[in-house]
Amino acid sequence: MRVSPERIQKVKTGPYTKGPVVYWMSRDQRIFHNWALLHAQDLALDMDRELRILFCLAPGFLGAGFRQYDFMLKGLQECFTQARELNIPFDLICGEPEISVPSYLDNLKPAFLVMDFDPLRIKRDWQKKVLDNSRVSACLVDAHNIVPVWTASSKQEYAARTIRPRIHKKLAQFLEPVPEVAVQKKNTIDFPNKPDFYQHIPTHAGKPVDWIKPGTAAGLKQLDLFLAKRISSYSGYRNDPNREVLSDLSPYLHFGQICSQTVALEVQKNIDIHPEDKDAFLEEIIIRKELADNFCHFNPDYDNFHGLPQWGQKTLNKHRIDPRPYLYSLEDLESSSTHDALWNAAQQEMIVRGKMHGYMRMYWAKKILEWTRTPEEAISWAVYLNDKYELDGRDPNGYTGILWSMGGLHDRPWKERQIFGTVRYMSYEGCKRKFNINEYIEKWNNPGRRS
Ligand code: FAD
Ligand code: FO1
């Protein structure tokens, strides 16, 4: 067994025993360094069964448009080719997973179904309905976190401070090199032809972005670029949106095209990286990222007001009646038409590039709280915009980031002020002191200046 039993949760025992072992790939869309696929291969070898991979293409996932589907489908095409080279059939089906997956399974009568862990409600719902509607034995593998979410903590953690020591204690055990999937030796009876991945996707709904190349190979190349050219400035300049020092790995991580464990190990073992840069980056990709999964796993209200900590709800409730300096409609916000050129530039960066700089995401979300009628409206509009435009949206990191910015999640109370109460505030003047806001505004409010 190559996969630690702590990464695996058995969720159902069913009667089918004759068919193949199926890995239903969903969150972790890669062949390389994928614990769920490795476990499925272990099971197939143990049971002397064929291993197959299934992907169910669901239309209109959480507000995603062509931009995000294009990024995902190009990555899946690469998975199909790599699986072919390993003699592992990759089946693509389309439709609502709760209907299409049970019917696929009914046909195949698999000996075992392996699913990848995902804390989002929609994915839990898919998985529950699929298991309710299929006679199959199944397990869940956390292939997305370095320390499996159920091992890191048994409850919702309220701060990075409390989860950090728990995760650090387990890193020696879990931050290990991920093995490679082996070539499948069994002969397959039914090898699928390469499907038309785009057949069921509305190609008219938006344009793909061209500054980032999708897929595992491109993600690993991006990691090399980050290590060679950017990480040495990470601790010093990561809060400056005019500098290219962030990794730009979030779209690959979101679609599971690369694995955070691979990235963290590469960074950890690289002796040329200054400890300050190393620590700052590992804090984000391990602690902050895994804290977001912990939050969504233990709190089903991860994308609404009720998901905020008690103190955050209380202080925002107290300030509901405060007058708002500006009130904008969703259309005003979406069309970057506020009085604030810095905010409009951030919104443009999200719309045009599909990835807003991390520092600006905080300012962007906090101003939406300041300029809308209620915190509920603010959260739902931020979630809508983030999920519609960001390549890395529809992700635990996004929901957690929005509640962090708007209601003090994983934070502490600060000085009390209008509207925000004791939730941490950010101002235009503060940004001005931190970086050259005019350069950023020029770049994103002036299409000619964008590189
Ligand atoms: P880097 O700084 O290079 O970080 C590397 C990786 O570390 C990221 O890819 C991510 O996996 C992780 N990471 C970094 N910052 C955070 C953080 N604050 N919380 C959790 N993990 C983090 N991240 C998303 O992946 N999807 C989102 O939709 C998203 N929406 C956000 C919305 C708001 C309002 C806020 C405040 C933050 C949001 N974030 C989101 C978190 C963070 O801003 C992005 O992960 C980061 O900007 C992605 O760029 P990068 O990979 O170049 O970052
Ligand atoms: N997962 C699937 O299993 N099937 C899909 O069709 C699908 C579409 C999709 C589109 C945009 C996007 O951001 C994510 C999408 N995902 C899909 C899920 C994704 O892989 C993640 O599991 C979740 O977004 C959060 O972790």
Side-chain angles (χ1 to χ4, degrees), residues 281-305:
F281 182 74
L282 291 177
E283 170 73 10
E284 300 300 341
I285 197 158
I286 303 178
I287 306 301
R288 289 286 159 188
K289 179 173 169 293
E290 306 213 350
L291 181 60
D293 254 42
N294 165 277
F295 172 58
C296 295
H297 181 55
F298 288 105
N299 196 327
D301 285 316
Y302 55 75
D303 56 355
N304 67 67
F305 184 79

Side-chain angles (χ1 to χ4, degrees), residues 226 230 234 238 245-251 253-254 260 281 283-290 292 355-359 361-365 382 386-387 390 392-405:
F226 176 60
R230 298 185 179 181
Y234 192 81
R238 78 195 141 120
V245 307
L246 301 189
S247 66
D248 282 337
L249 290 176
S250 58
L253 292 165
H254 165 69
S260 62
F281 182 74
E283 170 73 10
E284 300 300 341
I285 197 158
I286 303 178
I287 306 301
R288 289 286 159 188
K289 179 173 169 293
E290 306 213 350
K355 182 172 179 286
M356 191 191 299
H357 188 278
Y359 187 74
R361 295 193 199 209
M362 299 187 269
Y363 182 78
W364 173 85
N386 200 72
D387 281 359
E390 297 283 19
D392 61 18
R394 306 148 304 284
D395 189 280
N397 286 351
Y399 304 121
T400 306
I402 288 169
L403 293 207
W404 180 87
S405 309

Side-chain angles (χ1 to χ4, degrees), residues 278-424:
K278 197 177 267 196
D279 290 350
F281 182 74
L282 291 177
E283 170 73 10
E284 300 300 341
I285 197 158
I286 303 178
I287 306 301
R288 289 286 159 188
K289 179 173 169 293
E290 306 213 350
L291 181 60
D293 254 42
N294 165 277
F295 172 58
C296 295
H297 181 55
F298 288 105
N299 196 327
D301 285 316
Y302 55 75
D303 56 355
N304 67 67
F305 184 79
H306 301 291
L308 295 175
Q310 283 306 313
W311 73 264
Q313 294 191 30
K314 203 165 153 203
T315 197
L316 291 179
N317 279 334
K318 182 176 161 199
H319 288 271
R320 274 179 192 277
I321 48 162
D322 295 351
R324 271 55 180 160
Y326 300 90
L327 266 184
Y328 291 114
S329 66
L330 178 58
E331 292 68 36
D332 294 333
L333 297 172
E334 192 160 5
S335 57
S336 320
S337 309
T338 76
H339 66 286
D340 178 338
L342 180 60
W343 191 93
N344 295 342
Q347 171 71 12
Q348 275 303 303
E349 184 180 23
M350 181 170 81
I351 290 183
V352 175
R353 187 170 187 256
K355 182 172 179 286
M356 191 191 299
H357 188 278
Y359 187 74
M360 292 312 297
R361 295 193 199 209
M362 299 187 269
Y363 182 78
W364 173 85
K366 284 174 184 292
K367 292 295 145 185
I368 296 179
L369 176 70
E370 199 173 335
W371 303 333
T372 43
R373 278 167 303 205
T374 64
E376 286 83 356
E377 187 171 80
I379 293 170
S380 81
W381 288 2
V383 166
Y384 165 80
L385 293 170
N386 200 72
D387 281 359
K388 181 169 174 183
Y389 292 106
E390 297 283 19
L391 278 172
D392 61 18
R394 306 148 304 284
D395 189 280
N397 286 351
Y399 304 121
T400 306
I402 288 169
L403 293 207
W404 180 87
S405 309
M406 292 187 171
L409 175 70
H410 301 150
D411 203 1
R412 63 172 174 86
W414 293 73
K415 181 174 160 281
E416 188 151 9
R417 62 173 61 243
Q418 289 275 295
I419 304 170
F420 286 79
T422 51
V423 172
R424 189 196 293 245

Side-chain angles (χ1 to χ4, degrees), residues 134-245:
S134 323
R135 291 158 39 87
V136 68
S137 299
C139 74
L140 204 55
V141 178
D142 187 348
H144 214 78
N145 290 291
I146 298 170
V147 179
V149 74
W150 44 71
T151 304
S153 175
S154 56
K155 60 178 195 320
Q156 183 184 334
E157 296 288 342
Y158 282 91
R161 172 174 39 82
T162 64
I163 205 168
R164 194 178 294 113
R166 294 179 192 279
I167 289 183
H168 276 297
K169 216 163 79 190
K170 308 248 176 190
L171 282 182
Q173 179 189 351
F174 288 105
L175 189 50
E176 54 181 328
V178 191
E180 303 287 343
V181 181
V183 174
Q184 168 150 257
K185 296 213 173 75
K186 266 194 153 347
N187 271 338
T188 299
I189 339 129
D190 173 23
F191 231 105
N193 288 328
K194 191 164 184 175
D196 178 0
F197 281 84
Y198 284 78
Q199 196 184 355
H200 299 272
I201 302 305
T203 47
H204 53 86
K207 272 206 249 150
V209 292
D210 58 8
W211 63 273
I212 181 168
K213 209 168 165 269
T216 300
L220 294 172
K221 219 165 147 196
Q222 180 62 28
L223 172 61
D224 287 345
L225 173 108
F226 176 60
L227 296 178
K229 299 234 155 53
R230 298 185 179 181
I231 199 169
S232 57
S233 307
Y234 192 81
S235 68
Y237 292 108
R238 78 195 141 120
N239 287 336
D240 184 341
N242 295 319
R243 308 247 184 174
E244 277 195 345
V245 307

Side-chain angles (χ1 to χ4, degrees), residues 21-36:
V21 170
V22 173
Y23 164 38
W24 174 15
M25 174 186 278
S26 177
R27 189 185 196 193
D28 292 285
Q29 300 168 15
R30 62 182 180 278
I31 303 298
F32 179 69
H33 288 182
N34 182 336
W35 289 117

Side-chain angles (χ1 to χ4, degrees), residues 253-264:
L253 292 165
H254 165 69
F255 286 102
Q257 296 175 352
I258 59 167
C259 168
S260 62
Q261 186 153 343
T262 314
V263 178

